[in-house]
Amino acid sequence: MPLLIVLLGVLILIFLIVKLKLNTFVSLVVTSFIIALCLQIPVAKIPTAIETGIGGQLGHLAIIFGFGSMLGQLVSDAGGGYRIATTLINKFGRRWIQVAVILASFIIGLALFFEVGLVVVLPIIFIIARELDMPLMYLGIPMAATLNVCHAFLPPHPAPTAITDILGATLGHVLLLGIIVAIPTIIISGPVFNYFLHKVYPSVYRKDVDISVLGEYKEFKLEETPGFGISVLTAMMPVILIAVATICSFVLSKTNPVNQFIQFVGAPDAAMLLSLLFAIWTMGLARSEKMSEISKSMTTSVKQIAMMLLIIGGGGAFKEVLVEGGISKYVSTLFSGTSISPILAAWLITALLRVSLGSSTVSSMTAAGLIAPMAAHMSPTMSALMVLSIGAGSVFCDHVNDAGFWMIKEYFGLSLKETLLSWSTLTSVLSLAGLASVWVLSLIIA
Protein backbone atom coordinates (compact mmCIF):
# COMPACT_ATOMS: atom_id res chain seq x y z
CA MET A 1 0.00 0.00 0.00
CA PRO A 2 2.74 2.60 0.79
CA LEU A 3 4.32 2.09 -2.62
CA LEU A 4 0.93 2.50 -4.29
CA ILE A 5 0.61 5.87 -2.57
CA VAL A 6 4.06 6.88 -3.84
CA LEU A 7 3.07 5.74 -7.34
CA LEU A 8 -0.13 7.76 -7.05
CA GLY A 9 1.87 10.82 -6.02
CA VAL A 10 4.24 10.47 -8.97
CA LEU A 11 1.34 10.00 -11.39
CA ILE A 12 -0.41 13.07 -10.03
CA LEU A 13 2.82 15.07 -10.34
CA ILE A 14 3.31 13.89 -13.93
CA PHE A 15 -0.32 14.72 -14.78
CA LEU A 16 -0.10 18.23 -13.32
CA ILE A 17 3.24 19.09 -14.96
CA VAL A 18 2.97 17.29 -18.31
CA LYS A 19 -0.75 17.30 -19.09
CA LEU A 20 -2.09 20.38 -17.31
CA LYS A 21 1.17 22.34 -17.81
CA LEU A 22 0.87 23.58 -14.22
CA ASN A 23 3.89 25.34 -12.74
CA THR A 24 6.32 22.76 -11.30
CA PHE A 25 6.54 24.38 -7.86
CA VAL A 26 2.76 24.59 -7.54
CA SER A 27 2.48 20.98 -8.76
CA LEU A 28 4.92 19.81 -6.08
CA VAL A 29 3.04 21.57 -3.29
CA VAL A 30 -0.37 20.34 -4.49
CA THR A 31 0.96 16.78 -4.74
CA SER A 32 2.49 17.08 -1.27
CA PHE A 33 -0.90 18.00 0.22
CA ILE A 34 -2.66 15.12 -1.58
CA ILE A 35 -0.04 12.54 -0.55
CA ALA A 36 -0.08 13.83 3.03
CA LEU A 37 -3.84 13.20 3.17
CA CYS A 38 -3.43 9.74 1.63
CA LEU A 39 -0.77 8.89 4.23
CA GLN A 40 -3.21 9.98 6.96
CA ILE A 41 -0.92 12.64 8.37
CA PRO A 42 -3.06 14.72 10.79
CA VAL A 43 -4.56 17.64 8.87
CA ALA A 44 -3.25 20.17 11.39
CA LYS A 45 0.32 18.92 10.83
CA ILE A 46 0.31 18.99 7.02
CA PRO A 47 0.97 22.75 6.55
CA THR A 48 3.74 22.58 9.17
CA ALA A 49 5.37 19.61 7.43
CA ILE A 50 5.31 21.39 4.07
CA GLU A 51 6.71 24.61 5.57
CA THR A 52 9.42 22.62 7.34
CA GLY A 53 10.30 20.84 4.11
CA ILE A 54 10.57 24.05 2.10
CA GLY A 55 12.47 26.01 4.74
CA GLY A 56 14.73 23.15 5.75
CA GLN A 57 15.59 22.43 2.15
CA LEU A 58 16.42 25.97 1.13
CA GLY A 59 18.16 27.17 4.31
CA HIS A 60 21.80 27.82 3.50
CA LEU A 61 21.31 26.44 -0.03
CA ALA A 62 19.72 29.76 -1.02
CA ILE A 63 23.02 31.44 -0.19
CA ILE A 64 25.04 28.98 -2.25
CA PHE A 65 22.70 29.14 -5.26
CA GLY A 66 22.28 32.90 -5.09
CA PHE A 67 25.98 33.71 -4.80
CA GLY A 68 26.88 31.04 -7.34
CA SER A 69 24.46 32.45 -9.88
CA MET A 70 25.77 35.99 -9.34
CA LEU A 71 29.37 34.82 -9.78
CA GLY A 72 28.53 33.05 -13.03
CA GLN A 73 26.69 36.07 -14.38
CA LEU A 74 29.63 38.38 -13.63
CA VAL A 75 32.07 36.04 -15.39
CA SER A 76 29.74 35.80 -18.38
CA ASP A 77 28.95 39.52 -18.66
CA ALA A 78 32.60 40.50 -18.41
CA GLY A 79 33.55 38.15 -21.25
CA GLY A 80 35.45 35.76 -18.99
CA GLY A 81 33.69 32.77 -20.53
CA TYR A 82 34.57 34.01 -24.01
CA ARG A 83 38.24 34.45 -23.01
CA ILE A 84 38.44 30.95 -21.48
CA ALA A 85 36.88 29.25 -24.50
CA THR A 86 38.78 31.10 -27.23
CA THR A 87 42.17 30.84 -25.46
CA LEU A 88 41.92 27.08 -24.94
CA ILE A 89 40.67 26.46 -28.47
CA ASN A 90 43.48 28.56 -29.96
CA LYS A 91 46.10 26.77 -27.83
CA PHE A 92 44.97 23.24 -28.67
CA GLY A 93 44.44 23.71 -32.39
CA ARG A 94 42.32 21.70 -34.83
CA ARG A 95 43.62 18.22 -33.93
CA TRP A 96 42.76 18.49 -30.23
CA ILE A 97 39.79 20.79 -30.66
CA GLN A 98 37.39 18.50 -28.77
CA VAL A 99 39.71 18.47 -25.76
CA ALA A 100 39.79 22.27 -25.83
CA VAL A 101 35.99 22.43 -25.99
CA ILE A 102 35.69 20.02 -23.06
CA LEU A 103 38.14 21.96 -20.87
CA ALA A 104 36.48 25.28 -21.69
CA SER A 105 33.01 23.87 -21.07
CA PHE A 106 34.11 22.27 -17.80
CA ILE A 107 35.56 25.49 -16.40
CA ILE A 108 32.59 27.56 -17.53
CA GLY A 109 30.17 24.81 -16.46
CA LEU A 110 31.43 24.99 -12.88
CA ALA A 111 30.20 28.57 -12.66
CA LEU A 112 27.08 28.46 -14.85
CA PHE A 113 23.92 26.35 -14.92
CA PHE A 114 23.47 24.03 -17.92
CA GLU A 115 21.01 26.25 -19.81
CA VAL A 116 23.02 29.43 -19.14
CA GLY A 117 26.31 27.73 -20.02
CA LEU A 118 24.78 26.54 -23.29
CA VAL A 119 23.79 30.07 -24.25
CA VAL A 120 27.25 31.43 -23.31
CA VAL A 121 29.41 28.77 -24.99
CA LEU A 122 27.39 27.83 -28.09
CA PRO A 123 27.98 31.06 -30.06
CA ILE A 124 31.73 30.70 -29.44
CA ILE A 125 31.63 27.07 -30.59
CA PHE A 126 29.62 28.12 -33.64
CA ILE A 127 32.28 30.65 -34.68
CA ILE A 128 35.12 28.14 -34.16
CA ALA A 129 33.26 25.44 -36.13
CA ARG A 130 32.71 27.88 -38.99
CA GLU A 131 36.37 28.96 -39.05
CA LEU A 132 37.60 25.34 -39.01
CA ASP A 133 34.91 24.23 -41.51
CA MET A 134 33.51 21.67 -39.07
CA PRO A 135 29.93 20.58 -38.36
CA LEU A 136 28.54 22.36 -35.29
CA MET A 137 27.45 19.00 -33.86
CA TYR A 138 31.06 17.76 -33.80
CA LEU A 139 31.96 20.40 -31.22
CA GLY A 140 28.49 20.73 -29.73
CA ILE A 141 28.26 17.17 -28.38
CA PRO A 142 31.37 17.31 -26.14
CA MET A 143 30.34 20.81 -25.05
CA ALA A 144 26.77 19.84 -24.09
CA ALA A 145 27.89 16.57 -22.49
CA THR A 146 30.44 18.39 -20.31
CA LEU A 147 27.98 21.07 -19.23
CA ASN A 148 25.43 18.37 -18.38
CA VAL A 149 27.96 16.41 -16.30
CA CYS A 150 28.88 19.54 -14.31
CA HIS A 151 25.19 20.29 -13.77
CA ALA A 152 24.42 16.74 -12.56
CA PHE A 153 27.48 15.88 -10.47
CA LEU A 154 29.28 18.92 -9.17
CA PRO A 155 28.43 21.41 -6.41
CA PRO A 156 27.66 24.30 -6.25
CA HIS A 157 25.09 23.33 -8.90
CA PRO A 158 21.57 23.15 -7.41
CA ALA A 159 20.69 19.45 -7.61
CA PRO A 160 23.94 17.88 -6.32
CA THR A 161 24.18 20.53 -3.59
CA ALA A 162 20.60 19.91 -2.46
CA ILE A 163 20.97 16.11 -2.60
CA THR A 164 24.17 16.36 -0.56
CA ASP A 165 22.21 18.19 2.11
CA ILE A 166 19.34 15.66 2.08
CA LEU A 167 21.61 12.61 2.34
CA GLY A 168 23.84 14.19 4.97
CA ALA A 169 26.97 13.90 2.81
CA THR A 170 29.89 16.33 2.89
CA LEU A 171 29.97 18.87 0.07
CA GLY A 172 33.74 18.62 -0.28
CA HIS A 173 33.62 14.82 -0.61
CA VAL A 174 30.94 15.07 -3.28
CA LEU A 175 32.96 17.68 -5.17
CA LEU A 176 36.24 15.73 -5.16
CA LEU A 177 34.64 12.37 -5.98
CA GLY A 178 32.40 14.10 -8.51
CA ILE A 179 35.40 15.42 -10.43
CA ILE A 180 36.91 11.90 -10.48
CA VAL A 181 33.64 10.44 -11.78
CA ALA A 182 33.17 13.29 -14.27
CA ILE A 183 36.41 12.56 -16.17
CA PRO A 184 35.54 9.11 -17.62
CA THR A 185 31.88 10.10 -17.98
CA ILE A 186 32.78 13.11 -20.13
CA ILE A 187 35.23 11.08 -22.25
CA ILE A 188 32.65 8.35 -22.95
CA SER A 189 29.67 10.66 -23.57
CA GLY A 190 31.75 13.27 -25.40
CA PRO A 191 34.48 12.23 -27.88
CA VAL A 192 33.72 8.48 -27.81
CA PHE A 193 29.98 8.89 -28.35
CA ASN A 194 30.71 11.59 -30.93
CA TYR A 195 32.82 9.13 -32.93
CA PHE A 196 30.15 6.42 -33.00
CA LEU A 197 27.24 8.80 -33.65
CA HIS A 198 29.12 10.26 -36.63
CA LYS A 199 29.54 6.73 -38.01
CA VAL A 200 25.95 5.65 -37.40
CA TYR A 201 24.02 8.89 -37.97
CA PRO A 202 26.15 11.26 -40.09
CA SER A 203 23.18 13.31 -41.32
CA VAL A 204 23.05 15.34 -38.07
CA TYR A 205 26.60 16.61 -38.66
CA ARG A 206 25.69 19.60 -40.80
CA LYS A 207 27.71 22.76 -41.43
CA ASP A 208 24.82 25.06 -42.44
CA VAL A 209 23.30 25.51 -38.97
CA ASP A 210 21.61 28.81 -38.11
CA ILE A 211 21.84 29.79 -34.41
CA SER A 212 19.85 33.02 -34.72
CA VAL A 213 17.35 31.36 -32.37
CA LEU A 214 19.74 32.35 -29.57
CA GLY A 215 18.68 35.91 -30.11
CA GLU A 216 21.00 38.86 -29.62
CA TYR A 217 24.49 37.72 -28.71
CA LYS A 218 26.90 40.06 -26.99
CA GLU A 219 30.02 40.34 -29.11
CA PHE A 220 33.38 40.58 -27.32
CA LYS A 221 36.72 41.82 -28.52
CA LEU A 222 39.32 39.52 -26.99
CA GLU A 223 41.57 42.39 -25.86
CA GLU A 224 38.66 43.91 -23.91
CA THR A 225 37.93 40.76 -21.90
CA PRO A 226 39.62 39.76 -18.59
CA GLY A 227 42.85 37.75 -18.80
CA PHE A 228 42.69 33.96 -19.17
CA GLY A 229 44.30 33.23 -15.79
CA ILE A 230 42.07 35.56 -13.80
CA SER A 231 38.96 34.33 -15.64
CA VAL A 232 39.74 30.69 -14.81
CA LEU A 233 40.63 31.54 -11.21
CA THR A 234 37.40 33.50 -10.73
CA ALA A 235 35.19 30.79 -12.26
CA MET A 236 36.87 28.02 -10.24
CA MET A 237 37.35 29.89 -6.96
CA PRO A 238 34.50 28.15 -5.07
CA VAL A 239 35.73 24.73 -6.20
CA ILE A 240 39.31 25.54 -5.19
CA LEU A 241 38.35 26.78 -1.72
CA ILE A 242 36.02 23.86 -0.96
CA ALA A 243 38.47 21.28 -2.36
CA VAL A 244 41.44 22.67 -0.38
CA ALA A 245 39.39 22.65 2.83
CA THR A 246 38.33 19.05 2.22
CA ILE A 247 41.89 17.87 1.56
CA CYS A 248 43.20 19.71 4.63
CA SER A 249 40.51 18.10 6.80
CA PHE A 250 42.19 14.74 6.09
CA VAL A 251 45.78 15.97 6.31
CA LEU A 252 45.80 18.44 9.20
CA SER A 253 44.66 18.12 12.80
CA LYS A 254 41.26 19.55 13.71
CA THR A 255 42.87 21.60 16.50
CA ASN A 256 45.44 23.13 14.15
CA PRO A 257 44.68 26.91 13.93
CA VAL A 258 45.70 26.97 10.26
CA ASN A 259 43.31 24.10 9.48
CA GLN A 260 40.52 25.79 11.43
CA PHE A 261 40.96 28.94 9.35
CA ILE A 262 41.03 26.90 6.12
CA GLN A 263 37.86 25.05 7.16
CA PHE A 264 36.15 28.38 7.80
CA VAL A 265 37.19 29.80 4.43
CA GLY A 266 36.31 26.55 2.66
CA ALA A 267 32.87 26.16 4.22
CA PRO A 268 30.36 26.34 1.31
CA ASP A 269 28.66 29.55 2.43
CA ALA A 270 31.93 31.36 3.16
CA ALA A 271 33.57 30.00 -0.01
CA MET A 272 30.72 31.28 -2.17
CA LEU A 273 30.70 34.71 -0.48
CA LEU A 274 34.47 35.14 -0.81
CA SER A 275 34.35 33.96 -4.44
CA LEU A 276 31.57 36.43 -5.24
CA LEU A 277 33.48 39.32 -3.64
CA PHE A 278 36.55 38.26 -5.63
CA ALA A 279 34.47 38.20 -8.85
CA ILE A 280 33.04 41.66 -8.11
CA TRP A 281 36.62 42.93 -8.08
CA THR A 282 38.17 40.89 -10.94
CA MET A 283 35.20 40.95 -13.32
CA GLY A 284 33.94 44.42 -12.38
CA LEU A 285 35.73 47.04 -10.29
CA ALA A 286 39.23 46.14 -11.54
CA ARG A 287 37.94 46.68 -15.08
CA SER A 288 36.51 50.12 -14.18
CA GLU A 289 32.92 48.88 -14.19
CA LYS A 290 30.45 50.93 -12.17
CA MET A 291 29.05 49.28 -9.06
CA SER A 292 25.53 50.04 -10.30
CA GLU A 293 26.17 47.92 -13.44
CA ILE A 294 27.71 45.12 -11.39
CA SER A 295 24.69 45.11 -9.08
CA LYS A 296 22.39 45.06 -12.12
CA SER A 297 24.09 41.88 -13.39
CA MET A 298 23.77 40.28 -9.97
CA THR A 299 20.07 41.15 -9.78
CA THR A 300 19.47 39.69 -13.23
CA SER A 301 21.15 36.43 -12.21
CA VAL A 302 18.93 36.02 -9.16
CA LYS A 303 15.81 36.50 -11.28
CA GLN A 304 16.99 33.62 -13.46
CA ILE A 305 17.21 31.17 -10.54
CA ALA A 306 14.14 32.31 -8.58
CA MET A 307 11.92 29.55 -9.96
CA MET A 308 14.71 26.99 -9.51
CA LEU A 309 14.86 27.88 -5.81
CA LEU A 310 11.09 27.47 -5.46
CA ILE A 311 11.21 24.09 -7.23
CA ILE A 312 13.94 22.90 -4.86
CA GLY A 313 11.82 24.11 -1.96
CA GLY A 314 8.81 22.25 -3.39
CA GLY A 315 10.94 19.13 -3.66
CA GLY A 316 11.83 19.58 -0.01
CA ALA A 317 8.11 19.75 0.88
CA PHE A 318 7.41 16.53 -1.04
CA LYS A 319 10.35 14.85 0.69
CA GLU A 320 9.17 15.96 4.14
CA VAL A 321 5.69 14.53 3.54
CA LEU A 322 7.22 11.21 2.51
CA VAL A 323 9.32 11.22 5.69
CA GLU A 324 6.40 12.22 7.94
CA GLY A 325 4.20 9.57 6.39
CA GLY A 326 6.82 6.84 6.86
CA ILE A 327 7.32 6.22 3.14
CA SER A 328 11.06 6.92 3.15
CA LYS A 329 11.61 4.47 6.01
CA TYR A 330 9.46 1.85 4.25
CA VAL A 331 11.40 2.17 0.97
CA SER A 332 14.70 2.04 2.86
CA THR A 333 13.63 -1.15 4.64
CA LEU A 334 12.42 -2.62 1.37
CA PHE A 335 15.78 -2.14 -0.34
CA SER A 336 17.77 -3.21 2.72
CA GLY A 337 16.09 -6.61 2.46
CA THR A 338 17.29 -7.14 -1.10
CA SER A 339 20.69 -7.81 -2.62
CA ILE A 340 20.48 -4.86 -5.00
CA SER A 341 23.31 -2.35 -4.65
CA PRO A 342 22.29 0.95 -2.97
CA ILE A 343 24.09 2.79 -5.75
CA LEU A 344 22.05 0.98 -8.42
CA ALA A 345 18.82 1.43 -6.41
CA ALA A 346 19.42 5.19 -6.12
CA TRP A 347 20.16 5.46 -9.85
CA LEU A 348 17.17 3.34 -10.87
CA ILE A 349 14.63 5.29 -8.79
CA THR A 350 15.98 8.60 -10.08
CA ALA A 351 16.14 7.48 -13.71
CA LEU A 352 12.52 6.29 -13.65
CA LEU A 353 11.42 9.61 -12.15
CA ARG A 354 13.52 11.52 -14.68
CA VAL A 355 11.95 9.77 -17.67
CA SER A 356 8.49 10.39 -16.20
CA LEU A 357 8.87 13.97 -14.96
CA GLY A 358 11.47 15.49 -17.27
CA SER A 359 13.04 17.72 -14.63
CA SER A 360 16.41 16.47 -13.37
CA THR A 361 16.08 18.61 -10.24
CA VAL A 362 12.61 17.33 -9.30
CA SER A 363 13.50 13.70 -10.02
CA SER A 364 16.73 13.83 -8.01
CA MET A 365 15.08 15.66 -5.09
CA THR A 366 12.22 13.15 -4.97
CA ALA A 367 14.57 10.17 -5.17
CA ALA A 368 16.81 11.62 -2.47
CA GLY A 369 13.82 12.01 -0.18
CA LEU A 370 12.91 8.36 -0.69
CA ILE A 371 16.35 6.92 0.02
CA ALA A 372 17.54 9.37 2.69
CA PRO A 373 17.01 6.87 5.57
CA MET A 374 19.09 4.31 3.68
CA ALA A 375 21.98 6.77 3.37
CA ALA A 376 21.75 7.74 7.06
CA HIS A 377 23.47 4.51 8.08
CA MET A 378 26.27 4.75 5.52
CA SER A 379 29.80 6.11 5.71
CA PRO A 380 30.45 9.68 4.48
CA THR A 381 32.17 8.27 1.40
CA MET A 382 29.25 6.00 0.52
CA SER A 383 26.78 8.84 1.07
CA ALA A 384 28.79 10.98 -1.37
CA LEU A 385 28.72 8.15 -3.93
CA MET A 386 24.95 7.90 -3.50
CA VAL A 387 24.69 11.61 -4.31
CA LEU A 388 26.63 11.02 -7.53
CA SER A 389 24.52 7.97 -8.39
CA ILE A 390 21.35 10.07 -8.08
CA GLY A 391 23.05 12.74 -10.21
CA ALA A 392 23.73 10.15 -12.91
CA GLY A 393 20.12 8.96 -12.85
CA SER A 394 18.80 12.53 -13.04
CA VAL A 395 20.11 13.04 -16.60
CA PHE A 396 18.93 9.72 -18.04
CA CYS A 397 17.17 9.87 -21.43
CA ASP A 398 16.34 13.56 -21.75
CA HIS A 399 13.31 13.75 -24.03
CA VAL A 400 10.27 15.83 -24.96
CA ASN A 401 9.08 16.56 -21.39
CA ASP A 402 12.19 18.60 -20.53
CA ALA A 403 12.99 22.17 -21.58
CA GLY A 404 16.65 21.25 -22.16
CA PHE A 405 15.61 18.84 -24.92
CA TRP A 406 13.90 21.62 -26.87
CA MET A 407 16.83 23.98 -26.33
CA ILE A 408 19.19 21.43 -27.90
CA LYS A 409 16.74 20.82 -30.78
CA GLU A 410 16.46 24.51 -31.65
CA TYR A 411 20.06 25.54 -31.01
CA PHE A 412 21.51 22.76 -33.16
CA GLY A 413 18.86 23.03 -35.87
CA LEU A 414 17.68 19.42 -35.46
CA SER A 415 14.36 17.79 -36.26
CA LEU A 416 12.41 16.04 -33.49
CA LYS A 417 13.56 12.63 -34.73
CA GLU A 418 17.18 13.75 -34.95
CA THR A 419 17.08 15.17 -31.42
CA LEU A 420 15.63 11.95 -30.02
CA LEU A 421 18.23 9.82 -31.79
CA SER A 422 21.18 12.03 -30.89
CA TRP A 423 20.52 13.99 -27.69
CA SER A 424 18.24 11.48 -25.92
CA THR A 425 20.74 8.74 -26.73
CA LEU A 426 23.64 10.91 -25.56
CA THR A 427 22.05 11.61 -22.18
CA SER A 428 21.30 7.90 -21.75
CA VAL A 429 24.94 7.03 -22.48
CA LEU A 430 26.07 9.82 -20.14
CA SER A 431 23.84 8.53 -17.34
CA LEU A 432 24.98 4.91 -17.71
CA ALA A 433 28.65 5.95 -17.97
CA GLY A 434 28.21 8.00 -14.80
CA LEU A 435 26.62 5.05 -12.99
CA ALA A 436 29.43 2.74 -14.10
CA SER A 437 32.07 5.26 -12.99
CA VAL A 438 30.44 5.64 -9.56
CA TRP A 439 30.20 1.85 -9.17
CA VAL A 440 33.86 1.30 -10.10
CA LEU A 441 34.93 4.07 -7.73
CA SER A 442 32.90 2.47 -4.94
CA LEU A 443 34.82 -0.78 -5.41
CA ILE A 444 38.09 1.10 -4.96
CA ILE A 445 37.38 3.43 -2.03
CA ALA A 446 34.13 2.39 -0.29
Side-chain angles (χ1 to χ4, degrees), residues 23 25 28-29 54 58 305-316:
N23 176 272
F25 171 66
L28 281 165
V29 175
I54 294 175
L58 290 178
I305 67 161
M307 186 50 64
M308 175 69 75
L309 284 172
L310 286 176
I311 290 172
I312 288 172

Side-chain angles (χ1 to χ4, degrees), residues 4 32 61 88 111 165 201 275 330 393 395 409 425:
L4 288 177
S32 299
L61 295 184
L88 286 173
D165 190 57
Y201 202 34
S275 299
Y330 177 83
V395 293
K409 176 186 178 299
T425 306

Side-chain angles (χ1 to χ4, degrees), residues 250-290:
F250 292 113
V251 177
L252 302 177
S253 168
K254 289 183 179 180
T255 57
N256 187 320
V258 175
N259 187 35
Q260 290 177 347
F261 174 75
I262 292 173
Q263 296 308 314
F264 167 73
V265 171
D269 290 357
M272 292 308 305
L273 175 59
L274 291 172
S275 299
L276 176 60
L277 294 175
F278 185 68
I280 289 173
W281 171 254
T282 59
M283 298 291 113
L285 297 177
R287 304 179 63 248
S288 301
E289 292 286 337
K290 294 180 179 179

Side-chain angles (χ1 to χ4, degrees), residues 13 17 24 28 159 163 311 315 318 346-370 390-396:
L13 194 60
I17 295 173
T24 303
L28 281 165
I163 304 166
I311 290 172
F318 191 57
W347 179 89
L348 190 60
I349 293 171
T350 314
L352 289 171
L353 289 168
R354 160 68 173 187
V355 172
S356 303
L357 298 172
S359 169
S360 61
T361 303
V362 176
S363 58
S364 56
M365 292 285 293
T366 305
L370 285 168
I390 291 174
S394 73
V395 293
F396 181 73

Side-chain angles (χ1 to χ4, degrees), residues 203-444:
S203 61
V204 297
Y205 289 81
R206 296 187 288 268
K207 297 179 181 179
D208 57 340
V209 178
D210 180 15
I211 64 164
S212 59
V213 68
L214 279 171
E216 185 179 350
Y217 170 64
K218 186 177 179 181
E219 295 281 351
F220 292 102
K221 292 182 179 179
L222 195 61
E223 62 272 13
E224 296 176 354
T225 60
F228 173 75
I230 200 66
S231 296
V232 171
L233 181 61
T234 303
M236 296 191 68
M237 181 64 77
V239 175
I240 294 170
L241 292 177
I242 294 171
V244 169
T246 302
I247 293 170
C248 288
S249 69
F250 292 113
V251 177
L252 302 177
S253 168
K254 289 183 179 180
T255 57
N256 187 320
V258 175
N259 187 35
Q260 290 177 347
F261 174 75
I262 292 173
Q263 296 308 314
F264 167 73
V265 171
D269 290 357
M272 292 308 305
L273 175 59
L274 291 172
S275 299
L276 176 60
L277 294 175
F278 185 68
I280 289 173
W281 171 254
T282 59
M283 298 291 113
L285 297 177
R287 304 179 63 248
S288 301
E289 292 286 337
K290 294 180 179 179
M291 196 65 206
S292 59
E293 290 299 315
I294 297 172
S295 296
K296 184 178 178 182
S297 290
M298 293 160 67
T299 302
T300 300
S301 71
V302 173
K303 289 178 180 177
Q304 294 172 348
I305 67 161
M307 186 50 64
M308 175 69 75
L309 284 172
L310 286 176
I311 290 172
I312 288 172
F318 191 57
K319 177 214 72 172
E320 189 66 25
V321 165
L322 295 175
V323 172
E324 284 286 328
I327 293 292
S328 290
K329 188 175 181 180
Y330 177 83
V331 172
S332 176
T333 305
L334 190 68
F335 276 104
S336 64
T338 67
S339 58
I340 188 171
S341 162
I343 289 174
L344 178 58
W347 179 89
L348 190 60
I349 293 171
T350 314
L352 289 171
L353 289 168
R354 160 68 173 187
V355 172
S356 303
L357 298 172
S359 169
S360 61
T361 303
V362 176
S363 58
S364 56
M365 292 285 293
T366 305
L370 285 168
I371 67 170
M374 194 192 315
H377 307 293
M378 296 178 177
S379 66
T381 300
M382 194 62 186
S383 295
L385 291 171
M386 292 282 280
V387 172
L388 298 175
S389 178
I390 291 174
S394 73
V395 293
F396 181 73
C397 194
D398 187 22
H399 62 99
V400 296
N401 59 359
D402 180 47
F405 174 90
W406 298 103
M407 288 179 69
I408 293 293
K409 176 186 178 299
E410 295 301 320
Y411 291 173
F412 288 94
L414 303 172
S415 68
L416 182 60
K417 177 185 175 182
E418 289 171 337
T419 313
L420 286 167
L421 291 174
S422 57
W423 178 246
S424 297
T425 306
L426 165 62
T427 51
S428 299
V429 170
L430 190 157
S431 179
L432 290 168
L435 172 64
S437 301
V438 173
W439 178 72
V440 170
L441 187 59
S442 72
L443 298 178
I444 298 172

